[in-house]
Each structure stands twice: as structure tokens, then as C-alpha cells.
Amino acid sequence: MEEKDPIENKFNTTFSGYEQEPPSRVWDNISGKLHPGVKHAGFLARILAFSFFRNKPILFFLTIGGISVSLLFTGVYFGFKNHPTIRGHAYAGEARLNRGSAELFQVADKVMPWDSVTHYRSAIIDNFGHFQFSRVGAGNYLLRIAPEESSEAAKNFLPSWFDRYATSDSCTRITLGNKDVNAEVHLVQSEKKKN
Amino acid sequence: MIDHDYDLLSRCLKKEVAAEDQLYHQFAPKMYGLCLRYAGNETEAEDILQDGFMRLFNHMHQFRFEGRVEAWIRRIFVRTAINYYQQNLKFSMEVELKNADDLPALQEDALSALSAKELLAIIQHLTPAYRTIFNMHVIENYAITEIADLLGISEGTARSQFHRAKNRVRQMLIQRENYHTIS
């Protein structure tokens, strides 16, 4: 066998089995080309794939847990952000109404007369006259407050529409976007009381 | 080891993501070392590495499950490197300014003290044609006839180009030695 000269020998021995770790971006590019769907699946999906196929159950379940918690918080955040609350107080004269109900009606029409009024939700008025409708979708609403029939207020005040009207034709419409609305309702006195 | 590599390749052929990942990480450091020798710089080496692995994954079905997997993969990467520089592989027929015999002798101590990094820098300073032939013959142990066949040149050209490449390496080693002696 032909003997190699010292230079050839030096290069041959130095680079036989020579290794160097390539940058991680090379594999990212290759795996992205091999599995284009996975490339666009995002960081967490790749961790999931890595942990699943590399048999790393702790990392796999931690990632699943992380994703679940993230989705939960994201859902809660956007749920509340896009579904604001209508809240307020009902007054019978100077005092707060302490027994009664609040009714919310959805209106599809943009201008009067309103033909498409549908009952949306009911709420109980607490002892401090407070009512609240949580997580209401964006839109137009009418609000009606009715004192409980057996209450003292029912004798002197009529069921009334926001903000102080006896009929829905003339009441104030609530337009709900992505912010909470505070609606203070003053019950209209009955004719008997006025007299 | 061979059985393990065969099994790994079989799993890759079934498109198992984990097997592809494993195959890459098992062979990438060796192949990147090879690519660095055939490339002019790290960026080109990364390109060759990427092209080589794509070629490997796309042509895996051609493996006959005979012989060592690493040898087969190494041949793929050498061919990828040749293709990468195909446009630039211009084999100069110019006469070398200095014949190897005219060059001063190289001290063996100085040669043996050189690190892989220093030798790599010398290889990377060669032209693509010289670099390819030098790598193939000296490190990959390809015969001159085989090199001629793979590069599509005559055996005489391959032989003369190899000697010129080696002279150029020797020149650089001597220049480097003189520089260190002076400084």
C-alpha cells in the first residue's frame, strides 16, 4: 500500500472522525421542509411532538397543562372582554327599590318603531336596588324594572323602562359595545300616587 | 451498530418523525464536520448540510441495506458538496508558479502541532476545485480514478489537480510556519 506523505497523513488523521455540532437552525429548516404542517403548528406543538416521540412524559404533560391553562385564561379574558355587563340601581322615588325584577330585551331594529323586541334575560333586584346582567352580547337593549307586586313600591310606582319612562316607545335604548354600561332606572309614579 | 442504523433507516422510511429526528442528531455532527471541509465558510457548510439531509431523506428508499449506513450517508454528502460547487469547479490548467520540489521543507514538529481548526482554515482557503479533490483523496480516501469519474474529468486532470492542491496546502503551511517563526 502506498504510504502517504506527512501532510496527507496529518490531514487524514485529524479529520477522520472529525465532528462539529451544527447550529440548531439547520434541523429547524430541514424538519420544516420535511413536515411543513408541523413547522407552522407553533412552538408548543413542536415541544409536544418532541416530548411525545422522544418519550418524555413529564415534559409532554407539563406542556399539555401549560396549553390548557393558557387556553383557559385566554378564553376567560376574551369571554369577559367581548361580553360586558349591564348593571345599575332601581329607584322608587328617593329610595332604592328593594324588591323587584329587572328584564332585559334585545332590539334588532336600528330605528323606531321597534318591531323586533325579544326578551333576553331577567335579574332579581337585591335589597339595595342593585341589578346586574353579566356577559351580555353586543347590541341594542331595552331595560324594564318592575317592583314586586306585593311590595309597598308596587302600590305607588309603575313598572318602568330605562331611564324613567312608563312605556317602551319613549324609553332610552342601551347600546352595548365592549364596555360595561351603568343604567340607573327611576320608576315612574302611578297616577294614584300623583293624585 | 449496523442493525441499529438499519432499524433507524427503516423507521425513517415509514416517515416516523422521531426516527428522522434521531437520524439527524446522530449523523449531523459528523456530516457538518465534512461539510466544513468542502465549504468555503460556515454559511456554505450549513447550506450543504441542509441539502445533504434533504437528499438523504428523499432518496432513502434507494439504500439497499448492505454495508455501513454512515459510509452511504457520507457518499451522499460528498456528492452534495460536489453539486453545490459544480458551477465553481473550474480546473485550472495553469502551470504552478512553484514546483513542490522548489518549496522549502516543512518541519514535522510544526505540522504535528497544528490543530483541526487551523487545518480547516487552510482547507477553506483553497479554491473549490482544489478543496474538493484534496478532501476526496486525502480524507475520504477516494482513488484518483473514482474522483475523475465523479467530477467528470480525465484521470490525468484529476491527478495533476490533486498535486496542485497539495502544493497549495504545502505553500500555506510553510507561509504559516514562517509567519510564526518571524513573529
Side-chain angles (χ1 to χ4, degrees), chain A residues 50-87:
Chain A
F50 170 81
S51 55
F52 182 78
F53 289 114
R54 282 288 184 92
N55 201 17
K56 297 183 186 302
I58 295 175
L59 180 63
F60 181 77
F61 287 112
L62 275 176
T63 311
I64 289 279
I67 291 172
S68 305
V69 171
S70 304
L71 286 176
L72 181 67
F73 277 105
T74 307
V76 168
Y77 174 75
F78 281 105
F80 277 106
K81 187 184 175 187
N82 294 326
H83 295 91
T85 297
I86 296 175
R87 65 167 66 87

mmCIF file of all heavy atoms in Angstrom, chain A residues 50-87:
data_model
loop_
_atom_site.group_PDB
_atom_site.id
_atom_site.type_symbol
_atom_site.label_atom_id
_atom_site.label_comp_id
_atom_site.label_asym_id
_atom_site.label_seq_id
_atom_site.Cartn_x
_atom_site.Cartn_y
_atom_site.Cartn_z
ATOM 1 N N PHE A 50 -42.025 16.695 20.116
ATOM 2 C CA PHE A 50 -40.697 16.281 20.591
ATOM 3 C C PHE A 50 -40.831 15.395 21.826
ATOM 4 O O PHE A 50 -40.259 14.306 21.883
ATOM 5 C CB PHE A 50 -39.867 17.528 20.909
ATOM 6 C CG PHE A 50 -38.569 17.241 21.624
ATOM 7 C CD1 PHE A 50 -37.462 16.828 20.912
ATOM 8 C CD2 PHE A 50 -38.470 17.376 23.001
ATOM 9 C CE1 PHE A 50 -36.274 16.555 21.551
ATOM 10 C CE2 PHE A 50 -37.286 17.107 23.653
ATOM 11 C CZ PHE A 50 -36.183 16.697 22.914
ATOM 12 N N SER A 51 -41.633 15.880 22.817
ATOM 13 C CA SER A 51 -41.730 15.139 24.081
ATOM 14 C C SER A 51 -42.449 13.813 23.892
ATOM 15 O O SER A 51 -42.119 12.814 24.519
ATOM 16 C CB SER A 51 -42.440 15.982 25.143
ATOM 17 O OG SER A 51 -43.691 16.407 24.659
ATOM 18 N N PHE A 52 -43.428 13.807 22.973
ATOM 19 C CA PHE A 52 -44.186 12.573 22.751
ATOM 20 C C PHE A 52 -43.300 11.513 22.095
ATOM 21 O O PHE A 52 -43.212 10.390 22.560
ATOM 22 C CB PHE A 52 -45.411 12.873 21.877
ATOM 23 C CG PHE A 52 -46.275 11.664 21.636
ATOM 24 C CD1 PHE A 52 -47.138 11.228 22.617
ATOM 25 C CD2 PHE A 52 -46.208 10.978 20.431
ATOM 26 C CE1 PHE A 52 -47.928 10.108 22.401
ATOM 27 C CE2 PHE A 52 -46.992 9.865 20.211
ATOM 28 C CZ PHE A 52 -47.856 9.427 21.204
ATOM 29 N N PHE A 53 -42.613 11.951 21.029
ATOM 30 C CA PHE A 53 -41.824 10.970 20.281
ATOM 31 C C PHE A 53 -40.503 10.638 20.962
ATOM 32 O O PHE A 53 -39.934 9.580 20.711
ATOM 33 C CB PHE A 53 -41.589 11.462 18.856
ATOM 34 C CG PHE A 53 -42.841 11.432 18.026
ATOM 35 C CD1 PHE A 53 -43.410 12.612 17.565
ATOM 36 C CD2 PHE A 53 -43.468 10.237 17.735
ATOM 37 C CE1 PHE A 53 -44.570 12.580 16.808
ATOM 38 C CE2 PHE A 53 -44.622 10.202 16.984
ATOM 39 C CZ PHE A 53 -45.181 11.375 16.522
ATOM 40 N N ARG A 54 -40.022 11.548 21.776
ATOM 41 C CA ARG A 54 -38.770 11.272 22.493
ATOM 42 C C ARG A 54 -39.038 10.595 23.838
ATOM 43 O O ARG A 54 -38.144 10.433 24.638
ATOM 44 C CB ARG A 54 -38.014 12.575 22.730
ATOM 45 C CG ARG A 54 -37.277 13.103 21.515
ATOM 46 C CD ARG A 54 -36.062 12.254 21.202
ATOM 47 N NE ARG A 54 -35.281 12.789 20.115
ATOM 48 C CZ ARG A 54 -34.259 13.628 20.253
ATOM 49 N NH1 ARG A 54 -33.912 14.024 21.439
ATOM 50 N NH2 ARG A 54 -33.617 14.058 19.228
ATOM 51 N N ASN A 55 -40.318 10.245 24.048
ATOM 52 C CA ASN A 55 -40.702 9.524 25.261
ATOM 53 C C ASN A 55 -40.324 10.298 26.522
ATOM 54 O O ASN A 55 -39.641 9.781 27.398
ATOM 55 C CB ASN A 55 -40.069 8.129 25.254
ATOM 56 C CG ASN A 55 -40.806 7.189 26.186
ATOM 57 O OD1 ASN A 55 -41.948 7.477 26.575
ATOM 58 N ND2 ASN A 55 -40.171 6.095 26.537
ATOM 59 N N LYS A 56 -40.766 11.537 26.605
ATOM 60 C CA LYS A 56 -40.534 12.365 27.783
ATOM 61 C C LYS A 56 -41.897 12.744 28.352
ATOM 62 O O LYS A 56 -42.427 13.837 28.054
ATOM 63 C CB LYS A 56 -39.725 13.617 27.409
ATOM 64 C CG LYS A 56 -38.318 13.301 26.872
ATOM 65 C CD LYS A 56 -37.547 14.550 26.592
ATOM 66 C CE LYS A 56 -36.203 14.284 25.935
ATOM 67 N NZ LYS A 56 -35.300 13.433 26.681
ATOM 68 N N PRO A 57 -42.489 11.826 29.136
ATOM 69 C CA PRO A 57 -43.877 12.043 29.589
ATOM 70 C C PRO A 57 -44.050 13.283 30.456
ATOM 71 O O PRO A 57 -45.082 13.966 30.350
ATOM 72 C CB PRO A 57 -44.203 10.770 30.374
ATOM 73 C CG PRO A 57 -42.895 10.132 30.676
ATOM 74 C CD PRO A 57 -41.954 10.553 29.609
ATOM 75 N N ILE A 58 -43.057 13.585 31.297
ATOM 76 C CA ILE A 58 -43.217 14.748 32.192
ATOM 77 C C ILE A 58 -43.307 16.032 31.368
ATOM 78 O O ILE A 58 -44.205 16.854 31.563
ATOM 79 C CB ILE A 58 -42.053 14.818 33.207
ATOM 80 C CG1 ILE A 58 -42.124 13.598 34.136
ATOM 81 C CG2 ILE A 58 -42.121 16.109 34.017
ATOM 82 C CD1 ILE A 58 -40.977 13.470 35.100
ATOM 83 N N LEU A 59 -42.404 16.172 30.418
ATOM 84 C CA LEU A 59 -42.423 17.362 29.546
ATOM 85 C C LEU A 59 -43.723 17.408 28.749
ATOM 86 O O LEU A 59 -44.330 18.472 28.585
ATOM 87 C CB LEU A 59 -41.218 17.316 28.598
ATOM 88 C CG LEU A 59 -41.094 18.490 27.625
ATOM 89 C CD1 LEU A 59 -40.895 19.798 28.380
ATOM 90 C CD2 LEU A 59 -39.934 18.290 26.648
ATOM 91 N N PHE A 60 -44.162 16.247 28.286
ATOM 92 C CA PHE A 60 -45.390 16.174 27.485
ATOM 93 C C PHE A 60 -46.593 16.677 28.291
ATOM 94 O O PHE A 60 -47.343 17.552 27.847
ATOM 95 C CB PHE A 60 -45.606 14.722 27.038
ATOM 96 C CG PHE A 60 -46.828 14.529 26.193
ATOM 97 C CD1 PHE A 60 -46.825 14.911 24.853
ATOM 98 C CD2 PHE A 60 -47.982 13.979 26.718
ATOM 99 C CE1 PHE A 60 -47.948 14.741 24.065
ATOM 100 C CE2 PHE A 60 -49.112 13.805 25.932
ATOM 101 C CZ PHE A 60 -49.097 14.183 24.608
ATOM 102 N N PHE A 61 -46.748 16.126 29.529
ATOM 103 C CA PHE A 61 -47.920 16.507 30.324
ATOM 104 C C PHE A 61 -47.807 17.948 30.853
ATOM 105 O O PHE A 61 -48.808 18.629 30.998
ATOM 106 C CB PHE A 61 -48.142 15.498 31.459
ATOM 107 C CG PHE A 61 -48.687 14.187 30.949
ATOM 108 C CD1 PHE A 61 -47.938 13.039 30.989
ATOM 109 C CD2 PHE A 61 -49.953 14.124 30.365
ATOM 110 C CE1 PHE A 61 -48.423 11.843 30.487
ATOM 111 C CE2 PHE A 61 -50.455 12.930 29.858
ATOM 112 C CZ PHE A 61 -49.691 11.784 29.919
ATOM 113 N N LEU A 62 -46.575 18.371 31.124
ATOM 114 C CA LEU A 62 -46.397 19.768 31.538
ATOM 115 C C LEU A 62 -46.821 20.704 30.409
ATOM 116 O O LEU A 62 -47.466 21.734 30.642
ATOM 117 C CB LEU A 62 -44.937 20.036 31.892
ATOM 118 C CG LEU A 62 -44.507 19.688 33.319
ATOM 119 C CD1 LEU A 62 -43.008 19.925 33.492
ATOM 120 C CD2 LEU A 62 -45.282 20.509 34.348
ATOM 121 N N THR A 63 -46.472 20.347 29.192
ATOM 122 C CA THR A 63 -46.838 21.182 28.045
ATOM 123 C C THR A 63 -48.346 21.191 27.855
ATOM 124 O O THR A 63 -48.948 22.241 27.618
ATOM 125 C CB THR A 63 -46.147 20.668 26.765
ATOM 126 O OG1 THR A 63 -44.769 20.468 27.043
ATOM 127 C CG2 THR A 63 -46.296 21.655 25.631
ATOM 128 N N ILE A 64 -48.956 19.999 27.964
ATOM 129 C CA ILE A 64 -50.425 19.896 27.857
ATOM 130 C C ILE A 64 -51.069 20.795 28.913
ATOM 131 O O ILE A 64 -52.007 21.554 28.629
ATOM 132 C CB ILE A 64 -50.886 18.423 28.076
ATOM 133 C CG1 ILE A 64 -50.487 17.576 26.882
ATOM 134 C CG2 ILE A 64 -52.387 18.356 28.342
ATOM 135 C CD1 ILE A 64 -51.400 17.649 25.689
ATOM 136 N N GLY A 65 -50.543 20.702 30.156
ATOM 137 C CA GLY A 65 -51.072 21.523 31.245
ATOM 138 C C GLY A 65 -50.916 23.006 30.949
ATOM 139 O O GLY A 65 -51.843 23.792 31.136
ATOM 140 N N GLY A 66 -49.747 23.363 30.453
ATOM 141 C CA GLY A 66 -49.474 24.773 30.107
ATOM 142 C C GLY A 66 -50.427 25.276 29.050
ATOM 143 O O GLY A 66 -50.981 26.375 29.156
ATOM 144 N N ILE A 67 -50.646 24.451 28.038
ATOM 145 C CA ILE A 67 -51.560 24.845 26.952
ATOM 146 C C ILE A 67 -52.976 25.006 27.507
ATOM 147 O O ILE A 67 -53.672 25.978 27.187
ATOM 148 C CB ILE A 67 -51.533 23.794 25.817
ATOM 149 C CG1 ILE A 67 -50.184 23.821 25.104
ATOM 150 C CG2 ILE A 67 -52.652 24.061 24.812
ATOM 151 C CD1 ILE A 67 -49.983 22.699 24.100
ATOM 152 N N SER A 68 -53.401 24.066 28.352
ATOM 153 C CA SER A 68 -54.761 24.120 28.907
ATOM 154 C C SER A 68 -54.975 25.394 29.717
ATOM 155 O O SER A 68 -55.985 26.086 29.559
ATOM 156 C CB SER A 68 -55.024 22.911 29.807
ATOM 157 O OG SER A 68 -54.776 21.751 29.091
ATOM 158 N N VAL A 69 -53.999 25.679 30.594
ATOM 159 C CA VAL A 69 -54.117 26.880 31.439
ATOM 160 C C VAL A 69 -54.127 28.138 30.568
ATOM 161 O O VAL A 69 -54.935 29.044 30.781
ATOM 162 C CB VAL A 69 -52.951 26.926 32.460
ATOM 163 C CG1 VAL A 69 -52.921 28.263 33.190
ATOM 164 C CG2 VAL A 69 -53.094 25.793 33.461
ATOM 165 N N SER A 70 -53.261 28.160 29.555
ATOM 166 C CA SER A 70 -53.214 29.320 28.663
ATOM 167 C C SER A 70 -54.554 29.503 27.955
ATOM 168 O O SER A 70 -55.065 30.616 27.857
ATOM 169 C CB SER A 70 -52.130 29.140 27.599
ATOM 170 O OG SER A 70 -50.917 28.916 28.215
ATOM 171 N N LEU A 71 -55.105 28.384 27.459
ATOM 172 C CA LEU A 71 -56.392 28.467 26.751
ATOM 173 C C LEU A 71 -57.490 28.935 27.686
ATOM 174 O O LEU A 71 -58.355 29.742 27.303
ATOM 175 C CB LEU A 71 -56.764 27.105 26.154
ATOM 176 C CG LEU A 71 -55.966 26.675 24.922
ATOM 177 C CD1 LEU A 71 -56.369 25.267 24.501
ATOM 178 C CD2 LEU A 71 -56.215 27.637 23.764
ATOM 179 N N LEU A 72 -57.458 28.427 28.938
ATOM 180 C CA LEU A 72 -58.483 28.804 29.916
ATOM 181 C C LEU A 72 -58.444 30.306 30.170
ATOM 182 O O LEU A 72 -59.469 30.993 30.072
ATOM 183 C CB LEU A 72 -58.253 28.036 31.225
ATOM 184 C CG LEU A 72 -59.254 28.311 32.331
ATOM 185 C CD1 LEU A 72 -60.620 27.775 31.940
ATOM 186 C CD2 LEU A 72 -58.803 27.677 33.636
ATOM 187 N N PHE A 73 -57.235 30.810 30.453
ATOM 188 C CA PHE A 73 -57.110 32.241 30.748
ATOM 189 C C PHE A 73 -57.450 33.095 29.520
ATOM 190 O O PHE A 73 -58.082 34.130 29.632
ATOM 191 C CB PHE A 73 -55.693 32.562 31.244
ATOM 192 C CG PHE A 73 -55.534 32.278 32.714
ATOM 193 C CD1 PHE A 73 -54.841 31.167 33.156
ATOM 194 C CD2 PHE A 73 -56.099 33.124 33.661
ATOM 195 C CE1 PHE A 73 -54.715 30.894 34.511
ATOM 196 C CE2 PHE A 73 -55.973 32.858 35.013
ATOM 197 C CZ PHE A 73 -55.279 31.741 35.440
ATOM 198 N N THR A 74 -57.030 32.617 28.362
ATOM 199 C CA THR A 74 -57.334 33.355 27.132
ATOM 200 C C THR A 74 -58.842 33.395 26.913
ATOM 201 O O THR A 74 -59.408 34.435 26.586
ATOM 202 C CB THR A 74 -56.650 32.678 25.921
ATOM 203 O OG1 THR A 74 -55.281 32.533 26.216
ATOM 204 C CG2 THR A 74 -56.820 33.511 24.660
ATOM 205 N N GLY A 75 -59.468 32.231 27.124
ATOM 206 C CA GLY A 75 -60.922 32.152 26.943
ATOM 207 C C GLY A 75 -61.651 33.054 27.919
ATOM 208 O O GLY A 75 -62.577 33.790 27.543
ATOM 209 N N VAL A 76 -61.227 33.002 29.183
ATOM 210 C CA VAL A 76 -61.859 33.841 30.203
ATOM 211 C C VAL A 76 -61.665 35.312 29.870
ATOM 212 O O VAL A 76 -62.609 36.112 29.900
ATOM 213 C CB VAL A 76 -61.271 33.526 31.603
ATOM 214 C CG1 VAL A 76 -61.690 34.563 32.617
ATOM 215 C CG2 VAL A 76 -61.713 32.144 32.055
ATOM 216 N N TYR A 77 -60.429 35.646 29.486
ATOM 217 C CA TYR A 77 -60.117 37.051 29.175
ATOM 218 C C TYR A 77 -60.982 37.558 28.030
ATOM 219 O O TYR A 77 -61.656 38.576 28.134
ATOM 220 C CB TYR A 77 -58.634 37.181 28.832
ATOM 221 C CG TYR A 77 -58.252 38.562 28.352
ATOM 222 C CD1 TYR A 77 -58.140 39.623 29.250
ATOM 223 C CD2 TYR A 77 -58.033 38.816 27.005
ATOM 224 C CE1 TYR A 77 -57.801 40.893 28.807
ATOM 225 C CE2 TYR A 77 -57.694 40.076 26.558
ATOM 226 C CZ TYR A 77 -57.577 41.109 27.461
ATOM 227 O OH TYR A 77 -57.249 42.360 27.022
ATOM 228 N N PHE A 78 -60.957 36.804 26.928
ATOM 229 C CA PHE A 78 -61.704 37.280 25.768
ATOM 230 C C PHE A 78 -63.211 37.157 25.985
ATOM 231 O O PHE A 78 -63.983 37.944 25.457
ATOM 232 C CB PHE A 78 -61.283 36.530 24.495
ATOM 233 C CG PHE A 78 -59.995 37.042 23.950
ATOM 234 C CD1 PHE A 78 -58.816 36.333 24.103
ATOM 235 C CD2 PHE A 78 -59.944 38.260 23.306
ATOM 236 C CE1 PHE A 78 -57.616 36.812 23.611
ATOM 237 C CE2 PHE A 78 -58.758 38.762 22.805
ATOM 238 C CZ PHE A 78 -57.593 38.033 22.964
ATOM 239 N N GLY A 79 -63.598 36.144 26.794
ATOM 240 C CA GLY A 79 -65.012 35.995 27.118
ATOM 241 C C GLY A 79 -65.542 37.230 27.816
ATOM 242 O O GLY A 79 -66.577 37.794 27.437
ATOM 243 N N PHE A 80 -64.814 37.691 28.790
ATOM 244 C CA PHE A 80 -65.263 38.877 29.535
ATOM 245 C C PHE A 80 -65.061 40.153 28.724
ATOM 246 O O PHE A 80 -65.866 41.065 28.782
ATOM 247 C CB PHE A 80 -64.529 38.972 30.874
ATOM 248 C CG PHE A 80 -65.168 38.114 31.921
ATOM 249 C CD1 PHE A 80 -64.602 36.923 32.346
ATOM 250 C CD2 PHE A 80 -66.398 38.482 32.480
ATOM 251 C CE1 PHE A 80 -65.215 36.128 33.304
ATOM 252 C CE2 PHE A 80 -67.008 37.688 33.439
ATOM 253 C CZ PHE A 80 -66.418 36.500 33.847
ATOM 254 N N LYS A 81 -63.979 40.163 27.970
ATOM 255 C CA LYS A 81 -63.686 41.363 27.203
ATOM 256 C C LYS A 81 -64.789 41.625 26.178
ATOM 257 O O LYS A 81 -65.195 42.754 25.953
ATOM 258 C CB LYS A 81 -62.342 41.187 26.491
ATOM 259 C CG LYS A 81 -61.857 42.442 25.804
ATOM 260 C CD LYS A 81 -60.590 42.194 25.053
ATOM 261 C CE LYS A 81 -60.197 43.440 24.279
ATOM 262 N NZ LYS A 81 -59.079 43.211 23.403
ATOM 263 N N ASN A 82 -65.274 40.563 25.550
ATOM 264 C CA ASN A 82 -66.250 40.733 24.481
ATOM 265 C C ASN A 82 -67.689 40.647 24.974
ATOM 266 O O ASN A 82 -68.607 40.792 24.183
ATOM 267 C CB ASN A 82 -66.019 39.696 23.383
ATOM 268 C CG ASN A 82 -64.692 39.927 22.691
ATOM 269 O OD1 ASN A 82 -64.270 41.063 22.545
ATOM 270 N ND2 ASN A 82 -64.041 38.863 22.297
ATOM 271 N N HIS A 83 -67.894 40.348 26.252
ATOM 272 C CA HIS A 83 -69.243 40.240 26.800
ATOM 273 C C HIS A 83 -69.331 41.083 28.067
ATOM 274 O O HIS A 83 -69.177 40.565 29.166
ATOM 275 C CB HIS A 83 -69.588 38.773 27.087
ATOM 276 C CG HIS A 83 -69.652 37.948 25.842
ATOM 277 N ND1 HIS A 83 -68.552 37.289 25.348
ATOM 278 C CD2 HIS A 83 -70.654 37.713 24.971
ATOM 279 C CE1 HIS A 83 -68.907 36.673 24.232
ATOM 280 N NE2 HIS A 83 -70.164 36.906 23.985
ATOM 281 N N PRO A 84 -69.595 42.350 27.902
ATOM 282 C CA PRO A 84 -69.630 43.247 29.068
ATOM 283 C C PRO A 84 -70.912 43.073 29.893
ATOM 284 O O PRO A 84 -71.764 42.242 29.581
ATOM 285 C CB PRO A 84 -69.559 44.627 28.434
ATOM 286 C CG PRO A 84 -70.065 44.450 27.056
ATOM 287 C CD PRO A 84 -69.793 43.063 26.651
ATOM 288 N N THR A 85 -70.990 43.885 30.912
ATOM 289 C CA THR A 85 -72.081 43.782 31.897
ATOM 290 C C THR A 85 -72.947 45.042 31.865
ATOM 291 O O THR A 85 -72.437 46.140 31.682
ATOM 292 C CB THR A 85 -71.455 43.615 33.301
ATOM 293 O OG1 THR A 85 -70.719 42.395 33.309
ATOM 294 C CG2 THR A 85 -72.498 43.599 34.397
ATOM 295 N N ILE A 86 -74.242 44.821 32.040
ATOM 296 C CA ILE A 86 -75.154 45.957 32.271
ATOM 297 C C ILE A 86 -75.542 45.886 33.741
ATOM 298 O O ILE A 86 -76.069 44.867 34.200
ATOM 299 C CB ILE A 86 -76.420 45.860 31.388
ATOM 300 C CG1 ILE A 86 -76.033 45.950 29.902
ATOM 301 C CG2 ILE A 86 -77.411 46.961 31.758
ATOM 302 C CD1 ILE A 86 -77.203 45.742 28.951
ATOM 303 N N ARG A 87 -75.267 46.922 34.451
ATOM 304 C CA ARG A 87 -75.608 46.924 35.887
ATOM 305 C C ARG A 87 -76.143 48.311 36.257
ATOM 306 O O ARG A 87 -75.990 49.281 35.507
ATOM 307 C CB ARG A 87 -74.394 46.589 36.740
ATOM 308 C CG ARG A 87 -73.268 47.611 36.674
ATOM 309 C CD ARG A 87 -72.262 47.361 37.775
ATOM 310 N NE ARG A 87 -71.555 46.101 37.594
ATOM 311 C CZ ARG A 87 -70.455 45.963 36.863
ATOM 312 N NH1 ARG A 87 -69.934 47.009 36.216
ATOM 313 N NH2 ARG A 87 -69.862 44.811 36.749
#
